[in-house]
């Protein structure tokens, strides 16, 4: 059986914090699927297609990582694709309660699926998609916070 992990999130846009988590988990699994959520509750800066393009460009060095979209429950997607592990990143304590609730909810509906929480590296623990959008809209420098392709894509969006 091949070991498949899914890393779900909004990735609006992908940050160096996300890239760091994916770099660290990709050697642990045969395949890692970065699953872009098409959340009905959040207004996004980038379309799912744009987000997918930015993720693929940022992770082209990793051969066992692919990017996909989903509308419904992550666990339904996982059952369909034979994936066993949900990976989530943990930054500050404020992430904890949300992640614990999600993990327990997923355990309830799909007991065979495990959630793996990975601590953010110290240099990225303060980096969030929301924060980099704030910075970008207010003219702050994004170097080291997001991949170069994301810097360029954000500059284009902001000019529009
Ligand atoms: P969501 O909207 O589902 O929280 P995000 O794209 O914001 O999606 O984040 C996806 C996952 O990556 C979450 O588990 C989040 O905690 C984690 N994450 C976000 N930023 C970082 C970071 N800087 N370092 C480590 N993990 C992170």
């Amino acid at each position: 059986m091949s070991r498949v992990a899914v890393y779900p999130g909004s990735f609006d846009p992908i940050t160096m914090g996300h890239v760091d988590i994916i770099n660290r988990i990709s050697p642990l699994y045969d395949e890692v699927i970065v699953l872009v959520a098409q959340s009905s509750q959040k207004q996004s800066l980038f379309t799912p297609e744009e987000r997918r393009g930015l993720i693929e460009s940022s992770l082209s060095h990793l051969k066992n990582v692919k990017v996909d979209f989903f509308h419904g429950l992550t666990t339904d997607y996982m059952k369909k694709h034979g994936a066993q592990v949900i990976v989530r990143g943990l930054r500050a304590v404020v992430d904890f309660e949300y992640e614990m609730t999600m993990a327990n909810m997923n355990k309830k509906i799909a007991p065979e699926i495990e959630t793996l929480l990975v601590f953010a590296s110290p240099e990225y623990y303060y980096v969030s998609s929301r924060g980099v959008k704030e910075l970008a809209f207010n003219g702050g420098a994004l170097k080291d916070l997001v991949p170069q392709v994301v810097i360029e894509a954000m500059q284009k969006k902001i000019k529009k």
Side-chain angles (χ1 to χ4, degrees):
M1 189 174 76
S2 67
R3 294 165 308 156
V4 182
V6 166
Y7 182 32
S10 309
F11 304 103
D12 185 42
I14 186 166
T15 69
M16 291 309 288
H18 296 127
V19 172
D20 175 58
I21 297 283
I22 300 160
N23 276 333
R24 288 162 57 199
I25 62 158
S26 77
L28 307 178
Y29 295 95
D30 295 311
E31 186 178 23
V32 174
I33 304 173
V34 181
L35 200 55
V36 179
Q38 293 176 302
S39 170
S40 48
Q41 284 161 28
K42 284 190 190 173
Q43 247 214 315
S44 58
L45 177 64
F46 292 100
T47 66
E49 287 77 13
E50 290 171 331
R51 285 183 260 159
R52 179 185 18 207
L54 293 174
I55 298 169
E56 281 173 351
S57 309
S58 308
L59 300 174
S60 56
H61 59 290
L62 297 173
K63 299 301 164 214
N64 65 338
V65 175
K66 79 170 196 188
V67 188
D68 205 354
F69 306 115
F70 83 107
H71 292 280
L73 295 173
T74 304
T75 48
D76 285 344
Y77 175 95
M78 293 177 71
K79 286 175 192 166
K80 222 161 122 191
H81 291 82
Q84 306 93 351
V85 175
I86 300 176
V87 173
R88 296 284 293 176
L90 207 61
R91 286 163 292 184
V93 179
V94 290
D95 282 345
F96 181 82
E97 202 161 338
Y98 177 73
E99 295 298 343
M100 189 178 70
T101 306
M102 288 297 292
N104 283 318
M105 188 107 81
N106 284 326
K107 197 78 198 160
K108 178 77 182 159
I109 59 174
E112 69 283 14
I113 290 174
E114 284 299 338
T115 297
L116 177 80
L117 293 178
V118 181
F119 283 104
S121 295
E123 62 269 43
Y124 300 124
Y125 82 93
Y126 63 92
V127 179
S128 67
S129 299
R130 190 179 164 169
V132 301
K133 281 184 278 196
E134 282 287 326
L135 264 183
F137 278 105
N138 292 291
L142 298 177
K143 192 176 169 290
D144 300 332
L145 303 182
V146 293
Q148 186 58 34
V149 281
V150 175
I151 295 183
E152 286 157 22
M154 290 189 92
Q155 282 166 348
K156 270 192 208 146
K157 279 268 175 200
I158 288 165
K159 271 190 203 139
K160 271 185 194 167

